[in-house]
Amino acid sequence: FHHAYAAMRDDGANCPVLVYVSTADIDSCCAFRTLKLMLWSDNVPFSVFPVSGYGELERYGSEIPDDDNQRAIVLINCGGTED
């Protein structure tokens, strides 16, 4: 976890960390709140996007600029076990 967070924090220095949070349950909100406090305490800029399904997640994904910037993207309860 420490290595992944450090990499995300470093990427956030170049452009905001993109956080996609599922609106399906309260666990997502709690996880985001914890992450938000960590990012705020380290002065890492971030943008949050609530998503209700795969279609919305795909739409947000298509809006990410296609440039040379390396971005950290965090998916919270967005169905990582789905095929």
Side-chain angles (χ1 to χ4, degrees):
F1 171 78
H2 295 289
H3 177 71
Y5 182 75
M8 180 174 52
R9 187 181 59 225
D10 293 343
D11 288 346
N14 299 325
C15 58
V17 174
L18 304 177
V19 183
Y20 299 92
V21 183
S22 171
T23 59
D25 59 13
I26 194 68
D27 291 346
S28 304
C29 296
C30 294
F32 171 66
R33 181 177 173 167
T34 302
L35 179 62
K36 175 181 73 172
L37 292 173
M38 292 172 64
L39 294 171
W40 274 351
S41 71
D42 289 332
N43 295 316
V44 177
F46 65 92
S47 297
V48 62
F49 304 92
V51 295
S52 60
Y54 289 115
E56 199 168 8
L57 185 60
E58 187 175 0
R59 181 176 57 84
Y60 281 129
S62 68
E63 294 172 1
I64 297 172
D66 188 17
D67 54 18
D68 292 334
N69 289 333
Q70 185 171 352
R71 289 180 173 74
I73 299 174
V74 179
L75 303 174
I76 300 177
N77 286 358
C78 289
T81 59
E82 297 291 326
D83 288 335

